[in-house]
Structures are given as structure tokens and as C-alpha cells.
Amino acid sequence: MAASDELGAITKAFSGFGVDEKSLISILGKWHPEQRQTFRKGTRDFFIQDERKFERWDDRHVIQLQHEFLRFKHAIVLWTMHQWERDARLLKEALYKGPQHNVLIEVACTRSSEELLGARRAYHSLFDHSVEEDVAFGIHGPERKLLVALVSSYRYEGPKVNEETAKSEAKFLSGAIKGAAGNKNLIENDEVVRILVTRSKLHLISVYKHYKEISGNNLDEDLEGDLYLQETVQCLCKPQAYFSKVLDASMRPNVDEIKKEAVTRIIVTRADVDMKQIKEEYNHKYGVSLPNKIEDVANGNYRDFLLTLVARGY
């Protein structure tokens, strides 16, 4: 391989999600000191030169590469965990890093009642706390009541839906959203929270349908002013669209590490659940297949592992 091609291959191996281990081994392992110096001088995105003409790694890229080398390991560890432990650890990490309200909502609203109960039990065993008390302690804004109620919920999962009640609640939500226009107190409306945290998913899908008939808009579209309520509705009523949206946002150029983590989280947690529907939704919405997108942005063992999991949704 020509020197310029090797430089390009190594630069690509260090870029994107994960690293291309095979290229790093086959090329870097045989480079002489002069070739490594050429690499340092030719990749100023990675290396900087101080006032003493000393060449060194840019600290930002050192931290980034540490994340990228660990990405494959993290995906493997998550995949091999029991689902309850995995969700419990995701909830704990979401509280520790931010907190990340979207992950709390995602886990609480896209799992079955038994799965969420299992995650709460695992949380007890792992951390000697309940997830409810940690959410209540760690969240201080008006969204606390919603989030505590979501992680505490145990929804009915049978087939029965009272259409008249669903229509009445859709009418109420329409009025509440219009009444909250210009204000930021909708999330503090106890009746809005009650509907979203106690009703079955089938019931809420019916509410979603009636809301469209009443208002002419989708419920989540009218909740753009309140991200937490919007994400709650999306996770409960159209989870595949939600997951596709988050995956797309997490694979865009120059996203931060917190957003990048969503790629592993979603693909690992949904591979055995609804990956086929997520792939269909992603292709429909963004005009590219999810496997092809992963091929474009990911590298090495991490890429291969993601593609293997995505292929399970056939």
C-alpha cells in the first residue's frame, strides 16, 4: 500500500464510531519512526505542536479515542447482561450523567410492565436503593413528578380499550395543550401526567388516534414545547419512530459522546425486540438502510458486532 494510502487508512481507522483494529495492526505495527513522524505531521486534527515545536496528541482526541476503543467492549458487556440488570444499569448511568431524562423515559416507556418491574428489582440488588427514590432525589425540576411516576408504573397490558374514555381523554389533552400555549406548566398538570403514566399503551395509541381526529395534528407534534412529554408520548405510542430518530441524531457528524452512546444502547436493547420494525422505519424516514448507515460511520469489531445484532431483526 502506498504511503499516502496508508495515511488515509489510518486516519479513517481512527475516525467515526469504534476503531478499525485490523488496519491499525497491519499498518501501524510495521511503521518505522520516520513513518510515524510523517503521520503525526500529516494529521493535524489529531496532533498539535506547541511553542517548543513539540509534537503531541491533542488531549481532546486522546479522550475521544479512549471512548472509541472501549465502545466495542461496552457493547459486548451490555449484550451479555440479563435484560433486567442492563436496564437497571442504564437507569443508574442516566441519573449519574446529567441526568439524561430521555434514557429514563425510554426505559420506563418502551419496556413491558414485567420488564420494568424486573429492572426495578435489579436496581434494588445492584445499588441498595430504589430507582424511584434515586429519580426523586436526583431530579429537581417540574418534570420530577412525571419521571418518578413513569419508572414506578405497572400498566395494564390486555387487549381491552374503552374508546369513549380514550376519545374523552384526547379531547382533554387537546384543551390542556391549547390552554398551556405560551406557558411551560403543562408537565405540572396532574391530569395530563395521570393519563400518560397510568393508561395502557393500547389505550394511549387510541388516544393518539382520536387526538389527530380532534385537532388535526399528531399529539407529539403539539408537544414540541415540552420535550419530556413529547418523548413520553413517542416512546409509548410510536417507539420505532422514536428509536429511528434517536439513532439518526446519534450518528450525525460531530455529535457529543452522550449522544453517540445511544447507538450501542438502542441496538443492543432492541435487537431481540423490534429491530425489524426499527429498520423499516429508519429506511422509510431517512432513505437509507440502517445497516448501510452503520457501515458508513462505524469501524472494526464494533461495526461488525452492531451489524450482527441489526441482522437479527429479519
Side-chain angles (χ1 to χ4, degrees):
M1 186 184 293
S4 60
D5 292 336
E6 288 187 339
L7 283 173
I10 290 299
T11 301
K12 186 177 186 302
F14 277 140
S15 305
F17 291 72
V19 294
D20 185 349
E21 295 90 351
K22 290 182 180 179
S23 293
L24 295 178
I25 293 168
S26 63
I27 297 174
L28 282 181
K30 66 182 180 61
W31 271 1
H32 299 297
E34 295 79 10
Q35 292 169 300
R36 297 199 297 272
Q37 183 180 38
T38 300
F39 171 61
R40 290 193 297 271
K41 289 185 177 299
T43 51
R44 289 306 183 192
D45 285 344
F46 296 150
F47 294 90
I48 59 175
Q49 196 173 71
D50 64 20
E51 66 276 6
R52 299 179 182 85
K53 306 298 183 183
F54 177 69
E55 293 171 344
R56 63 179 179 84
W57 272 99
D58 185 328
D59 289 341
R60 291 179 300 109
H61 286 292
V62 171
I63 294 171
Q64 178 188 343
L65 278 174
Q66 288 171 343
H67 285 300
E68 299 308 334
F69 275 104
L70 289 172
R71 208 172 293 284
F72 173 58
K73 175 185 174 183
H74 182 57
I76 291 290
V77 171
L78 275 182
W79 177 248
T80 53
M81 283 182 187
H82 190 287
Q83 179 187 345
W84 296 354
E85 178 188 1
R86 184 170 61 217
D87 282 345
R89 292 191 183 278
L90 288 173
L91 289 167
K92 184 68 171 179
E93 189 175 77
L95 286 166
Y96 176 74
K97 289 184 176 179
Q100 296 172 264
H101 298 75
N102 62 310
V103 179
L104 300 175
I105 292 169
E106 182 182 305
V107 172
C109 296
T110 63
R111 280 36 167 185
S112 71
S113 294
E114 282 298 318
E115 288 167 347
L116 181 57
L117 180 60
R120 290 161 60 194
R121 288 173 171 166
Y123 199 99
H124 288 183
S125 296
L126 290 167
F127 308 116
D128 296 320
H129 289 265
S130 73
V131 65
E132 297 91 336
E133 67 179 301
D134 281 357
V135 171
F137 180 77
I139 306 294
H140 303 291
E143 68 275 14
R144 175 163 59 182
K145 182 183 292 186
L146 171 71
L147 295 175
V148 171
L150 285 175
V151 299
S152 308
S153 66
Y154 190 91
R155 299 174 191 273
Y156 166 70
E157 293 184 331
K160 294 183 179 180
V161 174
N162 187 316
E163 291 295 336
E164 286 303 313
T165 301
K167 188 172 183 179
S168 173
E169 291 180 343
K171 186 175 180 180
F172 170 80
L173 288 172
S174 178
I177 291 171
K178 288 177 182 176
N183 300 316
K184 295 186 178 181
N185 61 351
L186 190 63
I187 201 169
E188 299 178 76
N189 187 310
D190 288 343
E191 190 69 2
V192 171
V193 172
R194 179 195 65 79
I195 293 168
L196 294 180
V197 303
T198 65
R199 292 302 191 185
S200 73
K201 293 178 183 179
L202 284 179
H203 180 95
L204 289 170
I205 289 170
S206 181
V207 170
Y208 192 94
K209 178 192 72 174
H210 288 301
Y211 185 94
K212 174 78 170 180
E213 295 168 353
I214 292 167
S215 71
N217 299 321
N218 290 324
L219 176 55
D220 53 326
E221 293 172 352
D222 281 353
L223 289 170
E224 283 189 354
D226 196 311
L227 182 62
Y228 306 136
L229 290 176
Q230 183 184 55
E231 289 181 338
T232 298
V233 168
Q234 290 173 344
C235 286
L236 289 166
C237 298
K238 39 193 285 190
Q240 289 81 33
Y242 165 83
F243 286 125
S244 296
K245 177 190 72 172
V246 175
L247 280 171
D248 182 67
S250 65
M251 291 189 285
R252 291 178 183 173
N254 303 316
V255 297
D256 61 39
E257 179 57 29
I258 294 295
K259 283 189 176 180
K260 276 187 172 184
E261 289 174 354
V263 177
T264 300
R265 183 182 76 248
I266 291 174
I267 291 178
V268 166
T269 60
R270 309 312 292 182
D272 285 335
V273 183
D274 54 0
M275 185 54 66
K276 181 176 184 291
Q277 294 91 332
I278 291 170
K279 287 192 292 185
E280 290 170 353
E281 177 68 25
Y282 190 92
N283 189 47
H284 173 73
K285 191 167 186 178
Y286 300 107
V288 62
S289 74
L290 183 56
N292 285 348
K293 183 66 176 180
I294 292 169
E295 285 270 13
D296 287 343
V297 302
N299 294 315
N301 292 332
Y302 179 65
R303 175 199 61 210
D304 295 343
F305 186 59
L306 292 183
L307 290 173
T308 299
L309 295 186
V310 167
R312 295 170 68 88
Y314 48 81

